[in-house]
Amino acid sequence: MQILRLAVISPMRSFFDYLPPVRMAEKAVENLQPGIRIRAPFGNRSVVCILLEVTLSTNIDKSRLKNVLEILDETPLIRRELLELCNWAASYYHHPPGEVIAAAFSSKQRRGLPVSELVDYVWTVTSLGEETIKQGKIAMRAPKQASLLNLISKSGFLGREYISNHASHSSFYALKKKKLITLEKVFPKVLSRSKKQDVALNHGQKQVLSSIKNNIDSFKCHVIEGVTGSGKTEIYLQLIHLTLKQQKQVLLLIPEINLTPQTVLRVSERFDARITELHSGLTDSDRDYSWRLVSEGYSDIIIGTRSACFAPCSRLGMIIVDEEHDSSYKQQDGFRYSARDIAVKRAQIENCPIVLGSATPSLETLLNVRSDRYLHHELTERVGGASLPNLTTIDIREKALSGGLSSTLLRAIKNTIDKGEQVLLFLNRRGYATQLQCHRCGWIAECEDCDVRMTLHKKTKELRCHHCGKSARLILSCPNCGSKNLLLEGIGTQQTEEKIREAFKGTIIHRVDSDNIPNKAAMEKLMESVTQRRPCILIGTQMLAKGHHFPGVTLVGVLDADSLLFGLDFRGEERMAQLITQVSGRAGRESNKSHVLLQTHHPNHPFMQAIVDQSYSTLSKYILDDRGTRDLPPLGYLILMRADSKYQADGEHFLKSIAERANITGDVKLIGPLPSAMPRRAGKYRNQLLLHSKNRTSIHKAATKLVSIGDKITKRNKMNWFIDVDPVEIC
Ligand code: ADP
Ligand code: ZN
Ligand code: ZN
């Protein structure tokens, strides 16, 4: 008896066994390939499933097996390698396999819709259009359309990537209405030629490249630890070139959607190849289309954020993970995977090299280097001899501060602007003030749904919760005692901006946080302005620390270094060292005298001094040793189980009964149930269990136990729970 083993695209942890469709020949069933979609009955509805295998045995009573309804695909939608990766991820992250495989599907595919013929549309100029160009008729009336028409004529055709990225739909359709251009159906073709010559590498870069080149046909994990501006991206480009020459695809992962324009630009300037972007900013239909381009091998270079680690590449030859330390690679809801770790596993399954690049590699990666699993390459100097910025602290104890700025920092800003250079100020809190308190009775504005204080946003006159997004009108008197004497505490970027605007009238000032720079387009506009190199002051959050190049910045000010010094989490020191190194790295890429000033109340704190005196590469070794003494990751393992419930008792009770039944002993410690560091968020109480062990196998066994018990216990009042393997935050 032939059995079809299926994963249902839904949050169910187990596989399901079914019988083949009624009246399907045995031979035909044998030929069904894993990775095709199948529609199967489930309760009183039908669901889309993926075939995992055709087998002859089942643990289910055979009389209870049902026939599937319909075979949806002839050929697998997902290659064997990718299916293997998904199965690995489902088991490693203790996540329902159907949902993991769904992460590797486009939305159409998930819904079981047919996969249509892959065609592309390009715009071409009609003969009437060519005639119009010759006579210069259109230019006077519609300059935008005229330049677009000229561009299409000059390039022969323009593809749909161009439409969304560079010109508005309306210009295209206006020209179409005038019958000057037309939309033509074409089949995507493979183009991969190199446009520009590779740059001559310096000695250090050459060594890295040749070492990776030696292993280019098989799996090896390479780590490039190169200081900011040391030419890592240039090495990536040459690796891409080598891979394209072999007719293979390159998957380039970047941490942030905001970095795509910059990266795509740099890659597209170099190669005449089809570049496909994969990120959350795509519409469903664009994503479907891109997905097909990748899976059918038309695209050569895939540039994407986290979820692109599942891109359906059909001829993958190289994976590059840029800024591999970045915590954005870890998905923080639903399927909580690390895209970096998945990428490494993927390279292993596909037997291709993978490169993890960063100026500040994660300790996980450095441990793998230490144990010789990964090959380490180091670039310690900046290209062109620019020196790394010089770090000093500003002792702000008892100093007057204005908008969070000391007079020493203000003077330094003035000097820099006077010299015609640019300044970057880092403050990791948006809004105007982080707390509003009554000076008479002590009342504090808190979020109704979370255990946090509301942030004051002055421009929009509101109080906003940065955790659940709830907002309320700004109040002018205390709701408790009616006093109008309200105090603002805790400085956010808006307040710093206000003070900077007062102090530097006439200077260009940009505030760079998610309120002001909400999307990719706004970031592009900002970058355009900043790279014109006029003196300016940038004030921003983390957003500024990530990968962007600001060649004109020669002074970086960190307004509140102390907020990094006392993190809640065991990763605090690592994060601080990474953040300060990355923010500092924005400075002086082309200059020899760039400075980083850290404002602190703790200039003598040993870690503050270490940050100032040591390189990340030295510092990270100490931090790693320290983790070892406490069996903390990466020298120990953590798995977190959290329950979010409307009533505190539900989550607590749920976790308690799991903990009791699981009876975890031996080399795994079970801690909890305990409330999370933020015990309530968005109206839900958060309780957690934490598993901690030095032994990976044991901790996963324990997690399997927790999950299988958790699946069986009835959940009261719509309680949610999840498991997080290798959590990046445990508080
Ligand atoms: P990273 O990625 O390490 O920050 P990049 O690759 O962006 O460094 O290099 C920094 C700058 O130096 C870029 O403007 C890049 O074009 C330039 N560059 C990199 N390698 C070379 C080289 N070998 N010769 C000349 N310029 C280079
Ligand atoms: Zn009051
Ligand atoms: Zn809230």
Side-chain angles (χ1 to χ4, degrees):
M1 190 154 150
Q2 290 165 308
I3 309 283
L4 306 185
R5 185 148 300 152
L6 307 179
V8 184
I9 300 194
S10 77
M12 275 172 295
R13 229 169 285 277
S14 50
F15 303 124
F16 293 89
D17 288 349
Y18 279 88
L19 298 172
V22 196
R23 283 194 293 279
M24 190 174 200
E26 206 167 293
K27 194 83 198 146
V29 176
E30 243 167 58
N31 285 335
L32 291 177
Q33 295 176 58
I36 58 168
R37 290 170 308 168
I38 290 180
R39 197 176 282 286
F42 203 86
N44 51 9
R45 57 202 175 109
S46 79
V47 288
V48 180
C49 312
I50 300 107
L51 177 65
L52 298 173
E53 58 174 335
V54 179
T55 159
L56 295 175
S57 64
T58 176
N59 296 331
I60 311 275
D61 171 7
K62 284 183 184 152
S63 65
R64 287 180 51 208
L65 290 177
K66 289 188 194 154
N67 295 86
V68 300
L69 301 171
E70 192 187 356
I71 306 289
L72 295 171
D73 303 302
E74 271 172 37
T75 50
L77 278 199
I78 182 167
R79 284 163 56 245
R80 189 185 50 77
E81 288 84 353
L82 199 47
L83 196 57
E84 185 183 338
L85 181 75
C86 290
N87 284 330
W88 173 82
S91 121
Y92 184 78
Y93 291 105
H94 301 270
H95 198 78
E99 278 204 341
V100 177
I101 298 171
F105 276 179
S106 73
S107 61
K108 263 191 189 163
Q109 293 172 336
R110 276 197 286 268
R111 283 179 285 148
L113 296 175
V115 182
S116 55
E117 180 190 33
L118 184 66
V119 282
D120 195 6
Y121 291 92
V122 293
W123 294 98
T124 55
V125 177
T126 60
S127 51
L128 180 64
E130 292 297 352
E131 194 57 32
T132 313
I133 293 174
K134 251 190 231 151
Q135 297 172 356
K137 266 199 220 150
I138 187 177
M140 326 289 279
R141 278 174 283 133
K144 257 195 201 156
Q145 290 173 30
S147 78
L148 182 60
L149 185 64
N150 276 317
L151 183 69
I152 304 175
S153 165
K154 245 197 282 166
S155 9
F157 66 86
L158 283 184
R160 69 188 252 162
E161 299 92 1
Y162 196 89
I163 303 174
S164 44
N165 288 338
H166 305 273
S168 68
H169 279 265
S170 60
S171 300
F172 280 97
Y173 286 95
L175 287 171
K176 182 170 184 252
K177 217 169 153 194
K178 294 176 187 161
K179 297 200 162 56
L180 302 179
I181 61 172
T182 158
L183 203 52
E184 225 174 79
K185 200 167 160 182
V186 291
F187 294 88
K189 37 183 181 294
V190 180
L191 5 114
S192 34
R193 282 158 292 159
S194 182
K195 257 193 225 168
K196 269 197 208 159
Q197 285 257 299
D198 284 338
V199 177
L201 297 180
N202 64 27
H203 181 68
Q205 288 172 313
K206 261 189 209 152
Q207 277 190 322
V208 180
L209 187 74
S210 76
S211 163
I212 300 176
K213 204 169 156 181
N214 285 340
N215 298 295
I216 201 143
D217 287 319
S218 56
F219 170 67
K220 183 82 212 167
C221 187
H222 299 271
V223 178
I224 306 182
E225 178 169 7
V227 297
T228 48
S230 58
K232 295 182 290 297
T233 312
E234 189 53 46
I235 297 177
Y236 304 159
L237 291 170
Q238 306 210 7
L239 287 170
I240 293 174
H241 193 184
L242 288 171
T243 314
L244 294 184
K245 272 196 205 156
Q246 298 182 306
Q247 310 291 324
K248 289 182 181 166
Q249 293 169 314
V250 180
L251 177 60
L252 172 56
L253 296 181
I254 53 176
E256 280 273 324
I257 176 172
N258 281 329
L259 290 167
T260 37
Q262 174 192 313
T263 312
V264 169
L265 182 70
R266 212 158 155 196
V267 175
S268 63
E269 275 174 356
R270 186 68 66 86
F271 304 106
D272 204 356
R274 171 126 16 197
I275 300 167
T276 301
E277 294 176 34
L278 291 175
H279 51 69
S280 58
L282 300 178
T283 62
D284 265 3
S285 97
D286 278 347
R287 194 177 159 82
D288 272 321
Y289 181 74
S290 301
W291 214 246
R292 304 277 321 273
L293 282 177
V294 175
S295 70
E296 290 174 34
Y298 291 119
S299 74
D300 301 305
I301 304 166
I302 298 99
I303 300 177
T305 48
R306 194 169 56 221
S307 65
C309 68
F310 291 107
C313 307
S314 49
R315 46 186 179 95
L316 188 61
M318 162 90 54
I319 305 178
I320 300 166
V321 184
D322 193 20
E323 310 289 356
E324 69 85 31
H325 66 279
D326 199 303
S327 56
S328 309
Y329 282 122
K330 179 78 196 268
Q331 171 121 331
Q332 298 281 31
D333 53 26
F335 171 29
R336 292 166 190 254
Y337 62 95
S338 152
R340 176 199 60 216
D341 296 349
I342 299 247
V344 173
K345 185 69 189 177
R346 176 148 194 199
Q348 192 189 358
I349 293 174
E350 307 259 5
N351 196 29
C352 73
I354 177 167
V355 174
L356 307 179
S358 174
T360 54
S362 64
L363 297 190
E364 280 71 14
T365 294
L366 291 173
L367 179 67
N368 282 312
V369 166
R370 212 178 246 193
S371 57
D372 287 331
R373 278 191 293 269
Y374 296 177
L375 202 56
H376 191 227
H377 310 276
E378 219 172 346
L379 297 169
T380 52
E381 276 164 27
R382 284 183 156 178
V383 174
S387 52
L388 285 162
N390 159 44
L391 271 71
T392 32
T393 52
I394 301 179
D395 183 352
I396 53 170
R397 280 175 294 184
E398 297 193 272
K399 299 275 158 56
L401 300 176
S402 159
L405 302 149
S406 62
S407 56
T408 316
L409 183 53
L410 280 165
R411 256 197 316 278
I413 298 171
K414 184 166 186 314
N415 284 339
T416 311
I417 295 296
D418 287 348
K419 278 191 284 182
E421 295 164 357
Q422 298 177 332
V423 177
L424 188 159
L425 299 176
F426 176 77
L427 175 63
N428 216 7
R429 286 185 304 258
R430 50 197 182 87
Y432 189 85
T434 55
Q435 180 177 307
L436 179 72
Q437 185 173 31
C438 172
H439 204 27
R440 189 159 113 201
C441 76
W443 169 89
I444 289 174
E446 283 177 337
C447 177
E448 277 174 26
D449 294 339
C450 311
D451 288 331
V452 290
R453 289 163 188 192
M454 302 280 266
T455 300
L456 187 121
H457 286 247
K458 198 172 174 185
K459 261 196 198 127
T460 48
K461 294 198 177 63
E462 59 180 344
L463 289 166
R464 216 186 285 165
C465 171
H466 285 182
H467 292 273
C468 72
K470 198 167 193 132
S471 72
R473 269 229 332 262
L474 183 57
I475 44 164
L476 301 172
S477 56
C478 172
N480 187 41
C481 75
S483 162
K484 290 204 159 54
N485 196 353
L486 300 178
L487 293 176
L488 297 183
E489 271 164 58
I491 284 157
T493 46
Q494 291 180 5
Q495 197 170 151
T496 303
E497 180 193 11
E498 188 179 275
K499 297 292 182 239
I500 286 280
R501 285 200 189 277
E502 283 166 22
F504 296 91
K505 294 219 168 70
T507 305
I508 303 170
I509 290 151
H510 298 286
R511 175 161 55 84
V512 190
D513 54 30
S514 56
D515 297 318
N516 216 24
I517 308 285
N519 53 33
K520 197 171 91 165
M523 193 72 192
E524 263 181 292
K525 216 167 128 199
L526 170 81
M527 292 306 293
E528 222 169 80
S529 157
V530 177
T531 43
Q532 284 178 3
R533 303 291 278 269
R534 276 179 298 166
C536 72
I537 303 170
L538 295 154
I539 306 155
T541 56
Q542 301 241 30
M543 227 181 189
L544 275 179
K546 292 195 178 184
H548 294 285
H549 299 296
F550 299 108
V553 169
T554 57
L555 173 69
V556 169
V558 177
L559 267 58
D560 186 7
D562 297 345
S563 67
L564 304 167
L565 197 55
F566 303 105
L568 291 165
D569 201 286
F570 69 91
R571 283 182 220 269
E573 291 187 336
E574 177 187 4
R575 293 255 187 280
M576 177 172 181
Q578 286 167 342
L579 200 55
I580 300 271
T581 309
Q582 293 287 348
V583 176
S584 309
R586 302 308 115 205
R589 292 195 166 228
E590 292 174 5
S591 135
N592 276 322
K593 20 176 202 4
S594 55
H595 303 280
V596 178
L597 299 174
L598 307 171
Q599 295 196 136
T600 173
H601 290 92
H602 304 274
N604 302 320
H605 190 289
F607 196 71
M608 193 63 83
Q609 288 188 336
I611 291 261
V612 169
D613 296 336
Q614 321 265 20
S615 67
Y616 179 82
S617 113
T618 311
L619 212 50
S620 57
K621 291 184 182 83
Y622 291 129
I623 305 175
L624 190 53
D625 290 341
D626 177 55
R627 296 264 182 95
T629 63
R630 296 186 287 155
D631 294 340
L632 285 171
L635 290 124
Y637 303 95
L638 293 174
I639 296 181
L640 183 98
M641 182 183 239
R642 204 179 78 204
D644 294 352
S645 56
K646 194 169 166 206
Y647 305 102
Q648 159 69 12
D650 287 346
E652 198 182 328
H653 180 77
F654 171 76
L655 294 178
K656 213 170 181 174
S657 44
I658 293 180
E660 277 165 13
R661 289 197 221 174
N663 189 25
I664 305 290
T665 51
D667 54 2
V668 182
K669 247 198 316 206
L670 181 122
I671 306 150
L674 286 170
S676 304
M678 190 194 299
R680 197 170 57 106
R681 184 178 167 174
K684 294 262 178 134
Y685 288 91
R686 298 140 55 102
N687 286 287
Q688 62 190 40
L689 288 176
L690 189 65
L691 294 172
H692 178 200
S693 178
K694 271 202 81 158
N695 185 313
R696 190 170 221 161
T697 316
S698 315
I699 198 170
H700 277 275
K701 260 192 199 150
T704 306
K705 239 187 199 176
L706 298 191
V707 166
S708 72
I709 299 170
D711 272 336
K712 281 177 208 128
I713 298 181
T714 34
K715 267 69 70 191
R716 275 188 293 189
N717 303 316
K718 290 192 187 152
M719 193 200 76
N720 284 321
W721 65 280
F722 63 82
I723 191 137
D724 189 352
V725 176
D726 307 329
V728 291
E729 274 171 3
I730 56 166
C731 50

